[in-house]
Amino acid sequence: MATAKKDYYEVLGVRRDASQEDIKKAFRKLAMKYHPDRNKSEDAHEHFKSINEAYEVLGDGERRSMYDRFGHAGVEAGAQGRGFAGFDFGGFGDIFETFFGGTRTSRRAPRRGSDIRQQITLKFEEAVFGVDKTVDVTGVELCSRCKGQRAEPGTDVETCATCNGAGEVRRAQSTVFGQFVNVATCERCGGEGRVVSTPCKTCRGAGFEKRKRVMEVKFPAGIDDGAQLRLSNEGNVGQFGGPRGNLYLHVGVKQHKLFQRDADDLIYDLELNIAQAALGGDIDVPTLEEAESLHVPAGTQSSEVFVLKQKGVPHLRGGGRGDLLVRVQVMTPKNLSAEQKELVRQLAETLGTGNEEDDKGILGRIRDALG
């Protein structure tokens, strides 16, 4: 015994006096909920069929009138037994696209090229002051021989005879619910709508090849190790006229033999002997440009820091520069001659030991070293 069909108004969840606009809204809502591409439950497919069947009838004013008067039998008789036959869904995808605005993506639609990521190493000074640098970039380019056409120059590219250039093949399938149309990518042309009979010898029909480009790149002053520089539309070439991807340069910076970098400040370790630290004086300090004279006060201790303003790294965003931080390292001599030891011993004796804290200064450490 055949199962009785469910009332179409109940399927769509609308009243029998609902307007055509209300019926359409109800269908849109349910189709969105049960579309097989969105709902992976086991019964979603059957629900979607029922919803489409109900809308096929109630969405048509004439067929709805027949259904209201004679029920399912009236619709089937009024359609001369066609059921869903003759209603070309174009597959579930097509009817969904009709109501929800989607479009089938062409295999020959413009496609953006992929991005290129490349490491680049700068000298310390290049990163600090900026540099215009020649960079070799290897990426995907249009074939130099066929210019992306894939065919050997002088030969023709044929329209695919299987799909007539559409790139897709429609196949009708009859079911108990009527006739459905399935759309599939053309196997012969791979969805491009054309066939290359004589592939390009250089790219072997791919239309692309790996090639090196030489670019002039401007690295801004103040760029730091680990920074990333983006160059828009300098990546791999796109397909079918699509835009290029981007080029991302990951910056590494070599270390300097004299300076350490801390954000936009530079650090320089100034080594002083005990006489310089004790007596003080003017010392020439190197910078990334010309040497600067620094006055070291008498009695300077290890780890004291002096600041030379605006001698550091230019700010990457905005004017001005960081500072040069001169960090003092007082060097205690290790290999003294007999004469030097005697002189230091005499000096130590004149200093006394009255204040223990003072004794732990530079000369106090010398006395400790000499016993």
Side-chain angles (χ1 to χ4, degrees), residues 238-251:
Q239 288 182 277
F240 309 122
R244 284 181 175 272
N246 297 327
L247 170 61
Y248 292 91
L249 296 178
H250 297 270
V251 178

Side-chain angles (χ1 to χ4, degrees), residues 56-57 60 62-85:
E56 165 68 0
V57 173
D60 184 301
E62 182 178 347
R63 299 191 70 193
R64 179 183 179 185
S65 178
M66 293 292 291
Y67 177 75
D68 289 343
R69 293 176 65 186
F70 304 107
H72 291 287
V75 175
E76 291 171 1
Q80 298 180 347
R82 70 173 182 170
F84 272 8

Side-chain angles (χ1 to χ4, degrees), residues 192-241:
E192 292 193 19
R194 58 182 194 161
V195 177
V196 176
S197 56
T198 308
C200 171
K201 294 178 181 178
T202 299
C203 65
R204 299 179 181 179
F208 304 93
E209 62 178 339
K210 273 201 168 184
R211 203 162 64 239
K212 184 172 72 174
R213 286 186 294 145
V214 179
M215 300 176 54
E216 191 75 15
V217 179
K218 183 178 183 63
F219 294 89
I223 195 167
D224 203 353
D225 184 74
Q228 177 179 271
L229 197 64
R230 185 185 73 180
L231 301 177
S232 299
N233 300 316
E234 293 292 352
N236 289 321
V237 70
Q239 288 182 277
F240 309 122

Side-chain angles (χ1 to χ4, degrees), residues 59-368:
D60 184 301
E62 182 178 347
R63 299 191 70 193
R64 179 183 179 185
S65 178
M66 293 292 291
Y67 177 75
D68 289 343
R69 293 176 65 186
F70 304 107
H72 291 287
V75 175
E76 291 171 1
Q80 298 180 347
R82 70 173 182 170
F84 272 8
F87 183 61
D88 182 1
F89 283 108
F92 285 142
D94 281 358
I95 192 169
F96 190 77
E97 289 159 6
T98 299
F99 277 90
F100 301 105
T103 56
R104 206 175 283 280
T105 301
S106 169
R107 290 291 296 272
R108 289 189 59 80
R111 298 179 195 170
R112 178 182 177 274
S114 58
D115 296 330
I116 298 175
R117 299 182 182 276
Q118 186 167 315
Q119 185 74 26
I120 189 76
T121 302
L122 301 180
K123 296 178 181 178
F124 194 88
E125 290 85 349
E126 290 176 335
V128 170
F129 298 113
V131 65
D132 293 336
K133 199 173 187 67
T134 299
V135 177
D136 293 338
V137 179
T138 300
V140 178
E141 301 291 330
L142 290 178
C143 174
S144 57
R145 183 175 178 83
C146 69
K147 310 302 181 186
Q149 296 303 306
R150 300 175 48 212
E152 183 68 13
T155 63
D156 294 329
V157 178
E158 303 171 359
T159 299
C160 178
T162 301
C163 64
N164 293 320
E168 56 189 23
V169 178
R170 292 173 176 263
R171 297 184 178 91
Q173 180 181 3
S174 297
T175 70
V176 293
F177 298 101
Q179 188 180 62
F180 291 84
V181 177
N182 294 321
V183 181
T185 299
C186 178
E187 294 181 359
R188 182 166 185 249
C189 67
E192 292 193 19
R194 58 182 194 161
V195 177
V196 176
S197 56
T198 308
C200 171
K201 294 178 181 178
T202 299
C203 65
R204 299 179 181 179
F208 304 93
E209 62 178 339
K210 273 201 168 184
R211 203 162 64 239
K212 184 172 72 174
R213 286 186 294 145
V214 179
M215 300 176 54
E216 191 75 15
V217 179
K218 183 178 183 63
F219 294 89
I223 195 167
D224 203 353
D225 184 74
Q228 177 179 271
L229 197 64
R230 185 185 73 180
L231 301 177
S232 299
N233 300 316
E234 293 292 352
N236 289 321
V237 70
Q239 288 182 277
F240 309 122
R244 284 181 175 272
N246 297 327
L247 170 61
Y248 292 91
L249 296 178
H250 297 270
V251 178
V253 179
K254 292 181 178 180
Q255 293 185 346
H256 198 278
K257 62 181 181 180
L258 297 179
F259 304 105
Q260 301 173 46
R261 181 170 174 177
D262 181 14
D264 288 345
D265 291 333
L266 295 178
I267 300 173
Y268 173 68
D269 286 325
L270 175 63
E271 295 183 354
L272 299 179
N273 60 43
I274 57 173
Q276 289 174 309
L279 301 176
D282 292 330
I283 306 293
D284 284 340
V285 174
T287 73
L288 286 175
E289 295 149 312
E290 297 178 351
E292 290 279 325
S293 179
L294 173 68
H295 179 71
V296 177
T300 294
Q301 303 295 309
S302 268
S303 300
E304 284 194 44
V305 176
F306 300 96
V307 179
L308 296 180
K309 291 289 187 180
Q310 297 287 311
K311 291 298 178 180
V313 180
H315 300 312
L316 188 60
R317 295 177 179 84
R321 296 173 62 171
D323 301 325
L324 174 59
L325 309 180
V326 181
R327 187 168 56 189
V328 173
Q329 301 291 336
V330 179
M331 309 303 293
T332 302
K334 295 181 179 179
N335 299 310
L336 296 176
S337 66
E339 183 181 0
Q340 289 173 327
K341 286 183 178 180
E342 180 59 29
L343 290 173
V344 173
R345 188 176 290 109
Q346 292 177 14
L347 174 63
E349 290 174 355
T350 65
L351 295 176
T353 57
N355 189 316
E356 190 65 23
E357 290 186 5
D358 288 344
D359 284 350
K360 294 305 177 184
I362 299 170
L363 298 178
R365 289 199 298 273
I366 295 173
R367 285 195 298 272
D368 291 341

